[in-house]
Amino acid sequence: FDGFDGGRGYVTLSGFIFLEENPFKRRLMLRPDDPAIRKTQEERRAHEIRQIEILKRQKRAKAEFRYFLQSKFGNLVRAWRRAIDPRGEFQISRQRLCQVARQLGYHGDLRVLWNAVDCDGSGYTSLEEIDFLSGQAIAQFRCWIRQVVDETYEDKLAPVQFLDTIGRQRDGHGKVMFHMMDPKNTRKVFCKQFKYYCKKWGFTTELN
């Protein structure tokens, strides 16, 4: 109390306004009729309105691009794998996205679209940033493949054999899993087989 009363024996509103962390709000509370403060307040409100409008445009552009891809490929995972990231790098640059979008016939605002899908400002985007649920499903599927393959082979093979089996490709668990789902070596895994083995080995997340 002694720190707030100024030696007068009582505390006024300004003493509590002093506790406001935001310096602009503190000045506004102390001098609500100051023209300079009012002007700054109006400029801030206008900026907030512009930011809201930008976010709305980005959200709309992202939704339109997703719909565009789904209409062409059936689902976003297929669109990502076949057209956007066929090399399997799991992230692409702005230049790559713009190039693919134009080649596919997308006519939306690419600048707005890029700002919508580069959520972290890294200069790259991923399937997860374009469609969070699809990206999460694929990430879970990759982790599940590693777990199943490791549990299946690690105890059955000598360490050198195991590492050789897994290391034949980059992140070779995928190749091993394919052969596990294709025991007759037909070089094809049909939908029925895929679902059967996913269920048998415990993967339940829906993948389109």
Side-chain angles (χ1 to χ4, degrees):
F1 183 87
D2 291 342
F4 286 101
D5 76 337
R8 294 168 296 186
Y10 60 88
V11 177
T12 63
L13 176 60
S14 63
F16 280 78
I17 290 176
F18 169 79
L19 300 173
E20 174 61 50
E21 293 182 10
N22 187 307
F24 175 76
K25 287 185 178 179
R26 190 163 60 241
R27 291 198 304 270
L28 180 62
M29 291 175 185
L30 290 171
R31 295 179 293 167
D33 298 323
D34 188 321
I37 293 177
R38 285 297 178 187
K39 182 180 179 181
T40 302
Q41 186 180 35
E42 291 171 1
E43 290 174 349
R44 289 192 173 197
R45 285 176 180 169
H47 176 72
E48 289 173 358
I49 291 172
R50 288 195 299 270
Q51 289 302 113
I52 291 172
E53 183 58 32
I54 288 172
L55 290 175
K56 285 181 178 179
R57 291 179 61 198
Q58 290 178 359
K59 184 177 180 180
R60 187 162 55 246
K62 187 174 181 177
E64 289 174 353
F65 187 60
R66 288 169 55 178
Y67 177 80
F68 172 79
L69 292 175
Q70 287 174 321
S71 66
K72 274 191 168 293
F73 296 94
N75 63 68
L76 295 171
V77 174
R78 187 181 297 144
W80 178 267
R81 289 187 58 250
R82 290 188 178 179
I84 300 175
D85 182 32
R87 300 166 78 176
E89 296 175 349
F90 290 95
Q91 64 177 9
I92 60 166
S93 65
R94 176 175 183 165
Q95 181 181 3
R96 171 64 185 171
L97 180 69
C98 294
Q99 178 186 19
V100 171
R102 287 299 185 238
Q103 287 175 348
L104 293 175
Y106 178 72
H107 299 296
D109 189 322
L110 293 177
R111 181 180 60 83
V112 175
L113 174 63
W114 177 256
N115 290 331
V117 299
D118 181 20
C119 305
D120 56 4
S122 65
Y124 292 88
T125 190
S126 63
L127 174 60
E128 195 167 356
E129 289 179 285
I130 293 175
D131 182 55
F132 180 78
L133 293 179
S134 294
Q136 284 288 296
I138 293 299
Q140 290 170 19
F141 188 61
R142 294 181 74 199
C143 290
W144 172 78
I145 285 176
R146 294 185 68 92
Q147 179 182 347
V148 171
V149 170
D150 288 351
E151 290 175 354
T152 302
Y153 284 96
E154 194 164 14
D155 295 334
K156 296 180 181 179
L157 300 175
V160 174
Q161 290 176 305
F162 175 72
L163 292 174
D164 180 62
T165 300
I166 300 305
R168 288 174 187 170
Q169 275 191 330
R170 183 191 71 174
D171 200 18
H173 292 76
K175 180 178 180 180
V176 176
M177 174 57 76
F178 178 85
H179 290 304
M180 289 171 64
M181 290 186 172
D182 180 33
K184 295 182 179 180
N185 198 29
T186 64
R187 298 186 180 180
K188 297 177 182 177
V189 175
F190 293 96
C191 184
K192 186 176 180 179
Q193 291 171 261
F194 180 84
K195 290 183 176 181
Y196 168 78
Y197 286 113
C198 283
K199 184 177 181 179
K200 178 181 178 180
W201 294 324
F203 187 79
T204 57
T205 301
E206 186 66 28
L207 287 176
N208 293 325

